[in-house]
């Protein structure tokens, strides 16, 4: 070629420089405690891992030495015939290259190929035989000084005697050399390598460690150099922070919580009988399942479990990860605990966390917990306490790129998985796969859990806590006390009960299964209580983010106090980790686990002798199945027959009997079984029922904010059901409104949200 080979366009970086940057990043990331924890996490040999990782890092972008990619680096709008990582993998399958590499000792070419091929998560089963254009021949620059220099580095690293082989100057789809490479790649990728790693656990572990390691090293090399950072210096200051100590977690997290409890109870905090449950969590093993009722202080127990992990020292951890099923619960977890830590160590990470963190900064003097958005997920590597959605970390199991970049943090952490009952079946299957395949301290937490899931977790070695509640008198007494008066009724009666309770000065929470019925019920109550000056709160997922946050705050504040009456209608958004304490709860029939969670939003703090709960039949079974609702009816019959009152213990016992029936997980996930292949797929087992949209009236503001990289554009985003007609952005708008559609103003108001049923 007539010009220097480039790997990056902004800033321009030669191909050789980027490959050596990536190898430097690999060495700088994987050393000391991070290397020890990474290889323990993957169960891989550290010496063999580093050797193969460095080779793969040096080779991963060699396929960029082709004219199409080089023209792209110089601004041309060209579609590649072959993705560069595919071409790199094919080069590794050239007979001359394989023979050369096999002269080295202790080299696993297939592990290197899989890491090179998968480092952008865009390699499906057809990659070896696929061309993305009609072009069937490309000029290659594989014998240039840059590429030969890289091959010589690999030669010295592997202590290979022969010089690097002469490589082809062209790629031709029909040339016998490349046909043979494709055949070899196809055979190994589709069958041979997959079967090999299935039979050989240690080889699979090595393969996974190297594949993920290249992603981390490539991302670090690209991002840090682009932003002008020294690779080694930045990693020393951010990733390689000191090991967490007991003193750290006491100072950064627990002392602030103890002070808060002292203010609540009006006396110095101590681990008396009331907090024996939390104190004893420190003595749990490094893998445990904590199951206790709503409002029983599980999160404090979890941090004390982390303290125990640190104190025992069997894992030398540098981080604590609290992973939640939803953005809202992750944000609440940050506010309740993580925010107490220094801003350099505390983090929140989910789809709109940058916006949420901005909202916490009421003045310029407030702590700024945000990370540099230009560094992508790398910006989180410096955090030691992190509250996040579970997808952001465990989705590496489904070949999610960002999640894979975060693996150096995950391997260095004690991990708490909260609300595990709320994971859909695919998510829970992959949690099982995670627990089986990787070695990291994990605490799973829940108030309720079907027997199948509990058994699966216990069979994986998670210690059930508390197993003997009689030793924890305060907890046992709380769970056995009469807490709920549960009755069934019809919707008309439920409406009347809500009105009467509100007029009687009570806090009334009404939970329904769909957004449409939530809005209609809120409107019905609003009309009925208009003369009472009622502010009927309507809270669900179909608001613009700015209004959803407002509704969330209003609902929490309304039920936090007990002096004033309040009334709110919500969907399932109220079920998890929200400290709502209603006097009267009304709910549509829902699956057993959902009912138990909803019941837990009433009489939460034990200020009442009992709360009144009314359950009625929904108009339709959706979004659930009739089978799930039939089991819920049986559950409800048993609970209501235990009149006059029901306890949390009774609910847990009946959930074991009538809870959802599920098949057992097989312990597999795409990341574990993919072999050569690496192609991202959804982490959650749900249909994409909504589009992210902006309203017509917000299009201009959204574009202005996106163009200005202002995180407040997130507050304009609105989830709209797929069955509602929305518009695609026009050509000028699409540049900014990527993945967003435009929704009509006429169906939206900030009180009730997006009302799809309106004409």
């Amino acid at each position: 070629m007539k010009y220097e080979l480039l790997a990056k366009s902004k800033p321009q970086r030669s191909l050789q420089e980027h490959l050596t940057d990536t190898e430097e990043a690999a060495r700088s990331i994987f050393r000391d405690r991070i290397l020890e924890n990474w290889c323990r996490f993957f169960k891989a040999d550290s010496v063999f891992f580093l050797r193969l990782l460095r080779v793969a890092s040096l080779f991963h972008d060699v396929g960029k030495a082709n004219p199409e990619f080089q023209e792209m680096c110089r601004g041309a709008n060209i579609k590649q015939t072959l993705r560069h990582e595919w071409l790199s993998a094919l080069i590794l399958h050239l007979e001359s290259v394989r023979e050369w590499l096999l002269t080295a000792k202790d080299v696993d070419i297939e592990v290197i190929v899989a890491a090179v091929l998968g480092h952008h998560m865009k390699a499906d089963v057809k990659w070896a035989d696929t061309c993305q254009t009609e072009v069937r021949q490309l000029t290659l620059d594989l014998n240039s000084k840059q590429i030969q220099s890289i091959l010589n580095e690999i030669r010295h690293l592997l202590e290979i005697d022969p010089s690097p082989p002469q490589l082809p100057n062209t790629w031709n789809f029909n040339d016998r050399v490349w046909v043979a490479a494709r055949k070899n790649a196809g055979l190994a990728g589709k069958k041979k390598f997959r079967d090999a790693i299935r039979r050989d656990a240690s080889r699979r572990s090595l393969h996974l460690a190297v594949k993920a390691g290249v992603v981390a090293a490539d991302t670090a090399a690209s991002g840090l150099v682009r932003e002008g950072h020294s690779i080694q210096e930045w990693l020393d200051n951010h990733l390689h922070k000191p090991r967490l100590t007991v003193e750290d977690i006491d100072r950064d997290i627990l002392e602030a919580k103890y002070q808060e409890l002292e203010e609540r109870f009006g006396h110095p905090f101590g681990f008396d009988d009331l907090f024996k449950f939390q104190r004893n969590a420190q003595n749990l093993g490094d893998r445990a399942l904590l199951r206790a009722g709503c409002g029983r202080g599980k999160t404090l127990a979890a941090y004390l479990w982390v303290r125990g992990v640190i104190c025992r020292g069997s894992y030398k951890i540098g981080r604590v990860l609290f992973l939640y099923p939803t953005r809202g619960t992750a944000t609440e977890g940050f506010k309740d605990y993580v925010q107490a830590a220094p801003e350099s160590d505390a983090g929140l990470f989910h789809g709109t966390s940058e916006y949420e963190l901005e909202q916490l900064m009421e003045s310029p003097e407030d702590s700024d917990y945000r990370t540099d958005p230009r560094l992508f997920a790398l910006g989180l590597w410096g955090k030691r306490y992190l509250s996040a959605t579970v997808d952001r970390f465990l989705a590496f199991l489904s070949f999610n790129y960002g999640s894979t970049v975060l693996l150096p943090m995950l391997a260095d952490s004690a991990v708490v998985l909260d609300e595990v009952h709320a994971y859909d079946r695919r998510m829970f299957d992959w949690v099982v796969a995670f627990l089986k395949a990787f070695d990291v301290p994990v605490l799973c937490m829940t108030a309720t859990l079907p027997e199948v899931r509990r058994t699966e977790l216990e069979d994986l070695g998670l210690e059930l806590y508390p197993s003997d509640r009689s030793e924890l008198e305060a907890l046992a007494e709380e769970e056995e006390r009469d807490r709920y008066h549960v009755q069934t009724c019809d919707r008309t009666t439920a409406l009347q009960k809500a009105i009467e309770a509100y007029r009687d000065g009570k806090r009334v929470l009404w939970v329904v299964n769909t957004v449409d019925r939530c809005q209609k019920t809120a409107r019905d109550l609003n009309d009925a209580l208009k003369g009472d000056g009622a502010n009927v709160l309507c809270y669900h997922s179909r608001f613009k983010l700015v209004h959803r946050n407002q509704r969330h705050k209003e609902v929490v504040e309304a039920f936090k106090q007990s002096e004033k009456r309040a009334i709110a209608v919500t969907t399932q958004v109220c079920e998890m980790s929200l400290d709502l304490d209603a006097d009267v709860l009304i709910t549509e029939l829902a699956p057993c686990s959902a009912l138990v969670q909803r019941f837990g939003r009433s009489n939460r703090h034990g200020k009442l002798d009992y709360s009144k709960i009314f359950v009625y039949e929904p108009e339709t079974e959706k979004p659930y199945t009739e089978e799930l609702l039939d089991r819920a009816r049986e559950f409800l019959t048993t609970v209501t027959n235990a009149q006059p009152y029901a306890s949390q213990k009774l609910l847990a016992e009946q959930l074991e009997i009538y809870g959802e029936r599920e098949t057992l997980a097989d312990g597999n996930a795409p990341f574990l079984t993919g072999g050569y292949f690496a192609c991202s797929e959804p982490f959650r087992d749900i249909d994409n029922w909504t589009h992210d949209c902006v309203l017509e009236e917000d299009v201009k503001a959204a574009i202005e904010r996106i163009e200005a990289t202002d995180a407040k554009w997130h507050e304009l985003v609105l989830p709209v059901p797929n069955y509602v007609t929305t518009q695609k952005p026009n050509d000028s708008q699409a540049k900014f409104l990527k993945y967003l559609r435009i929704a009509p103003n006429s169906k939206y108001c900030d009180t009730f949200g997006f009302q799809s049923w309106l004409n």
Side-chain angles (χ1 to χ4, degrees):
M1 296 182 189
K2 297 179 181 179
Y3 38 66
E4 180 186 33
L5 293 177
L6 297 179
K8 305 289 178 182
S9 57
K10 293 181 180 180
Q12 285 197 349
R13 193 76 171 163
S14 78
L15 181 52
Q16 182 180 351
E17 286 174 328
H18 174 63
L19 293 174
T20 55
D21 287 344
T22 305
E23 193 269 340
E24 179 191 350
R27 286 185 286 108
S28 298
I29 293 168
F30 298 107
R31 61 174 178 78
D32 304 331
R33 189 188 71 246
I34 298 298
L35 173 61
E36 180 183 342
N37 283 344
W38 184 267
C39 291
R40 183 254 312 146
F41 179 82
F42 283 99
K43 306 172 187 176
D45 176 83
S46 60
V47 175
F48 204 11
F49 159 72
L50 274 177
R51 180 180 172 90
L52 297 183
L53 173 66
R54 292 175 65 189
V55 173
S57 297
L58 286 167
F59 208 96
H60 76 287
D61 276 353
V62 164
K64 290 181 175 179
N66 74 80
E68 290 181 343
F69 191 89
Q70 293 304 309
E71 289 179 36
M72 286 173 53
C73 281
R74 290 163 171 82
N77 185 14
I78 294 176
K79 185 174 184 180
Q80 296 179 83
T81 297
L82 289 178
R83 289 189 58 85
H84 68 270
E85 69 270 27
W86 300 358
L87 186 52
S88 299
L90 285 175
I91 294 167
L92 282 166
H93 275 292
L94 290 171
E95 186 176 348
S96 60
V97 174
R98 295 178 75 84
E99 288 179 353
W100 177 64
L101 289 174
L102 286 173
T103 62
K105 295 179 181 179
D106 298 327
V107 64
D108 191 323
I109 297 177
E110 311 308 337
V111 168
I112 296 170
V113 172
V116 168
L117 179 61
H119 76 272
H120 282 301
M121 311 297 186
K122 293 183 178 180
D124 61 18
V125 294
K126 299 179 181 179
W127 74 270
D129 299 307
T130 299
C131 293
Q132 300 187 106
T133 72
E134 298 300 317
V135 174
R136 289 295 179 269
Q137 181 168 311
L138 290 173
T139 301
L140 302 179
D141 203 8
L142 301 179
N143 296 301
S144 66
K145 184 181 293 186
Q146 284 196 42
I147 300 301
Q148 288 301 306
S149 178
I150 291 297
L151 293 179
N152 275 307
E153 284 200 46
I154 293 173
R155 175 190 175 193
H156 294 309
L157 176 59
L158 294 178
E159 299 178 334
I160 298 174
D161 286 335
S163 297
Q166 187 76 12
L167 299 178
N169 291 319
T170 59
W171 166 84
N172 187 306
F173 187 81
N174 296 313
D175 186 279
R176 64 177 184 82
V177 173
W178 293 104
V179 170
R182 290 206 314 275
K183 183 178 179 181
N184 193 17
L187 174 64
K190 294 174 183 175
K191 179 72 175 166
K192 189 176 178 181
F193 186 53
R194 267 186 166 181
D195 290 347
I197 62 174
R198 188 177 294 120
R199 292 190 302 267
D200 187 341
S202 62
R203 193 178 183 202
R204 185 187 77 164
S205 296
L206 180 67
H207 146 64
L208 297 176
V210 175
K211 178 181 269 187
V214 170
V215 173
D218 182 37
T219 304
S222 299
L224 297 179
V225 170
R226 183 187 64 240
E227 298 305 317
H229 297 292
S230 159
I231 293 174
Q232 184 171 331
E233 182 179 342
W234 190 93
L235 291 170
D236 285 347
N237 292 334
H238 292 79
L239 182 63
H240 293 288
K241 288 192 172 182
R243 173 183 174 183
L244 275 178
T245 66
V246 168
E247 292 75 21
D248 290 332
I249 199 164
D250 285 348
R251 179 191 65 246
D252 295 341
I253 301 291
L254 291 172
E255 288 176 4
K257 181 54 60 173
Y258 298 156
Q259 183 177 349
E260 178 187 320
L261 291 171
E262 288 179 358
E263 293 173 359
R264 181 190 302 178
F265 292 106
H267 58 74
F269 176 79
F271 283 108
D272 52 20
D273 288 344
L274 186 62
F275 289 96
K276 188 176 180 181
F277 158 63
Q278 287 86 353
R279 180 194 64 197
N280 289 359
Q282 297 179 90
N283 303 322
L284 289 172
D286 294 323
R287 288 199 164 191
L289 168 61
L290 192 158
R291 189 180 60 171
C294 300
R296 300 280 66 83
K298 292 189 292 294
T299 306
L300 177 57
Y303 275 101
L304 288 164
W305 168 80
V306 172
R307 191 180 191 278
V309 171
I310 295 170
C311 192
R312 286 187 296 277
S314 49
Y315 290 86
K316 299 174 183 177
I317 63 168
R319 290 160 173 83
V320 179
L321 300 181
F322 266 74
L323 305 182
Y324 297 88
T326 68
R327 296 176 183 181
T329 51
T331 300
E332 291 302 310
F334 176 84
K335 292 177 181 177
D336 289 345
Y337 283 86
V338 176
Q339 191 176 3
E343 62 186 74
S344 60
D345 290 338
L348 173 67
F349 190 42
H350 56 64
T352 57
S353 54
E354 184 182 359
Y355 168 75
E356 301 286 2
L357 290 172
E358 276 197 1
Q359 302 313 297
L360 294 176
M361 297 173 60
E362 295 180 357
S363 69
E365 293 78 25
D366 288 341
S367 296
D368 187 353
Y369 300 92
R370 294 173 299 176
T371 59
D372 185 347
R374 296 169 299 180
L375 287 178
F376 184 49
L378 289 177
L380 293 165
W381 280 13
K383 302 298 185 181
R384 301 216 288 177
Y385 309 101
L386 198 65
S387 180
T389 46
V390 66
D391 314 52
R392 294 292 169 169
F393 278 86
L394 295 195
F396 78 92
L397 293 161
S398 61
F399 285 124
N400 176 273
Y401 189 89
S403 180
T404 307
V405 172
L406 292 173
L407 274 173
M409 292 184 69
L410 182 62
D412 190 42
S413 297
V415 181
V416 179
L417 301 174
D418 199 11
E419 309 279 12
V420 292
H421 70 277
Y423 295 8
D424 63 50
R425 188 61 224 189
R426 173 185 286 190
M427 292 169 66
F428 192 81
D429 286 352
W430 286 351
V431 166
V432 170
F434 171 71
L435 292 169
K436 288 181 69 173
F438 303 104
D439 185 1
V440 66
V442 177
L443 177 69
C444 294
M445 297 202 304
T446 184
T448 61
L449 200 64
E451 183 179 6
V452 170
R453 295 193 176 191
R454 176 180 59 78
T455 301
E456 285 183 278
L457 295 178
E458 288 190 273
D459 287 347
L460 287 167
L462 273 70
E463 175 186 355
L464 179 63
Y465 177 73
S467 56
D468 184 359
R469 280 164 155 75
S470 64
E471 296 180 0
L472 300 168
E473 297 84 359
L475 180 65
E477 180 180 338
E478 173 59 30
E479 293 190 341
E480 292 172 7
R481 77 176 176 89
D482 294 330
R483 179 172 169 181
Y484 313 114
H485 181 58
V486 184
Q487 305 171 62
T488 58
C489 64
D490 56 33
R491 185 181 182 279
T492 301
T493 302
L495 189 65
Q496 190 58 39
K497 294 291 184 182
I499 294 168
E500 291 173 358
Y502 179 78
R503 287 174 174 166
D504 196 31
K506 306 295 185 185
R507 295 168 298 168
V508 183
L509 180 63
W510 189 318
V511 189
V512 297
N513 301 338
T514 69
V515 173
D516 289 353
R517 295 203 293 269
C518 175
Q519 293 164 332
K520 291 176 181 178
T521 299
R523 285 187 176 278
D524 289 344
L525 287 169
N526 204 50
D527 292 342
L529 293 169
K530 190 174 296 183
D532 298 84
N535 177 25
V536 179
L537 301 172
C538 181
Y539 180 38
H540 51 76
S541 61
R542 220 171 284 167
F543 282 99
K544 291 195 294 189
L545 181 58
V546 61
H547 295 146
R548 177 168 177 169
N549 285 354
Q550 290 171 2
R551 298 296 87 75
H552 175 99
K553 184 176 181 180
E554 289 169 354
V555 170
V556 170
E557 292 298 323
F559 287 84
K560 182 182 292 185
Q561 53 79 40
S562 57
E563 295 77 23
K564 298 179 181 178
R565 60 186 182 176
I567 188 164
V569 187
T570 82
T571 57
Q572 296 90 330
V573 295
C574 77
E575 290 177 14
M576 290 176 289
S577 295
L578 291 187
D579 191 7
L580 303 183
D581 193 358
D583 305 318
V584 175
L585 177 79
I586 298 170
T587 176
E588 290 185 337
L589 185 72
C592 304
S593 58
L595 286 178
V596 174
Q597 289 296 126
R598 294 176 189 187
F599 290 2
R601 305 305 120 183
S602 69
N603 200 11
R604 188 173 175 87
H605 299 131
K607 295 179 180 179
L608 303 173
D609 291 336
Y610 59 86
S611 59
K612 292 184 178 180
I613 297 176
F614 300 93
V615 185
Y616 68 96
E617 289 282 340
E619 294 175 16
T620 65
E621 76 275 9
K622 292 181 179 181
Y624 306 115
T625 65
E626 193 61 34
E627 178 185 357
L628 286 176
L629 295 188
D630 281 342
R631 298 190 69 83
R633 292 182 184 100
E634 296 180 68
F635 166 85
L636 199 57
T637 297
T638 303
V639 171
T640 54
N641 285 343
Q643 293 291 356
Y645 307 111
S647 66
Q648 195 70 32
K649 180 182 179 182
L650 173 65
L651 299 184
E653 291 171 346
Q654 297 310 309
L655 181 64
E656 292 273 346
I657 299 171
Y658 297 109
E660 296 89 317
R661 293 293 178 255
E662 298 177 321
T663 58
L664 295 175
D666 61 10
N668 288 325
F671 180 75
L672 300 174
T673 60
Y676 270 9
F677 312 129
C679 200
S680 183
E681 57 185 83
F683 182 70
R684 295 177 185 253
D685 188 20
I686 56 174
D687 294 325
N688 185 19
W689 291 335
T690 62
H691 283 301
D692 278 347
C693 298
V694 292
L695 293 173
E696 296 163 330
E697 63 187 16
D698 291 331
V699 168
K700 182 179 178 182
I703 290 174
E704 289 175 351
R705 294 179 188 183
I706 291 170
E707 190 172 17
T709 64
D710 182 349
K712 287 187 177 180
W713 71 267
H714 287 290
E715 69 183 17
L716 304 176
V717 174
L718 167 70
V720 173
N722 288 343
Y723 57 79
V724 174
T725 301
T726 55
Q727 300 175 9
K728 290 183 178 180
N730 61 37
D731 290 344
S732 63
Q733 296 167 337
K735 177 181 177 182
F736 303 98
L737 303 182
K738 297 176 181 178
Y739 318 116
L740 295 173
R741 297 178 68 89
I742 301 172
N745 299 332
S746 59
K747 294 178 179 287
Y748 187 83
C749 74
D750 58 5
T751 302
F752 297 104
F754 191 86
Q755 299 161 95
S756 59
W757 44 275
L758 284 178
N759 293 325

